[in-house]
Amino acid sequence: MSQQLTKAPWVDVGMLIRRPPDDVFEALADPSITTRFWYTKSTGRMTEGAELTWEWEMYQAKSRIRVKQVEPGRRIRFAWDGYDPAHPTTVEFDLIPHRGGTTYLHITETGFTGDADTQVSRALDSTAGFTFLLSSLKAALEHDITLRVVLDAHPADL
């Protein structure tokens, strides 16, 4: 029998993006940009108080998003129900200005539920997903390249 963790696992990843914070913010807030490299559909822009649905059509997956906080060029915080609709996790994108007009994008996710094995599994899965997001965002903004890492992470025939 698995035991409960005393401190729930979390996601904590980040990467330097060689673009100003406002550009990185727009790429995350504007679904016409974000659909190039992360989810395939969104019902709207990331604005404070928005309730959105994101889709990853290649996986027949959807997630409900509730945008809690938006500080243009600085932060986006939202809850989503990807793992457990009854217990959404909270994701925070912190855009940290760095020298030379660059941005360090720091992503955290907290609030995983379930037994210890389930929490760890979900945190590991989400860490991989956000690492794909960071890599794809970096390629899109720095080199105008659309990486297909989210699509290619789980091919249907393997």
Side-chain angles (χ1 to χ4, degrees):
M1 176 186 217
S2 291
Q3 52 185 235
Q4 285 291 111
L5 294 177
T6 56
K7 182 176 181 181
W10 66 91
V11 172
D12 187 350
V13 296
M15 186 174 294
L16 184 70
I17 309 292
R18 289 183 171 81
R19 291 296 292 268
D22 288 337
D23 292 353
V24 176
F25 176 85
E26 274 306 304
L28 295 167
D30 181 350
S32 72
I33 301 170
T34 317
T35 53
R36 288 183 52 205
F37 55 83
W38 192 20
Y39 49 75
T40 56
K41 283 186 180 177
S42 174
T43 56
R45 183 178 171 83
M46 297 282 278
T47 58
E48 199 161 309
E51 293 192 14
L52 309 170
T53 300
W54 290 346
E55 291 185 49
W56 289 263
E57 294 168 294
M58 64 286 223
Y59 301 124
Q60 294 82 47
K62 291 183 182 183
S63 189
R64 291 183 26 214
I65 312 303
R66 189 172 53 87
V67 184
K68 295 179 171 186
Q69 180 183 18
V70 173
E71 296 177 42
R74 296 196 52 212
R75 176 175 296 118
I76 299 173
R77 189 166 51 92
F78 61 93
W80 67 347
D81 66 357
Y83 293 103
D84 182 352
H87 302 286
T89 58
T90 298
V91 176
E92 190 162 320
F93 296 154
D94 281 309
L95 293 80
I96 303 163
H98 195 61
R99 65 179 171 260
T102 63
T103 305
Y104 186 79
L105 176 57
H106 182 228
I107 302 173
T108 58
E109 182 174 11
T110 58
F112 295 99
T113 58
D115 65 28
D117 291 341
T118 299
Q119 289 180 49
V120 169
S121 175
R122 290 173 175 173
L124 288 171
D125 183 53
S126 201
T127 296
F130 283 121
T131 302
F132 295 151
L133 167 61
L134 287 167
S135 302
S136 296
L137 174 65
K138 183 176 183 68
L141 292 182
E142 292 184 15
H143 305 287
D144 197 29
I145 294 171
T146 302
L147 294 180
R148 306 290 296 201
V149 295
V150 174
L151 171 66
D152 293 341
H154 304 285
D157 57 347
L158 287 181

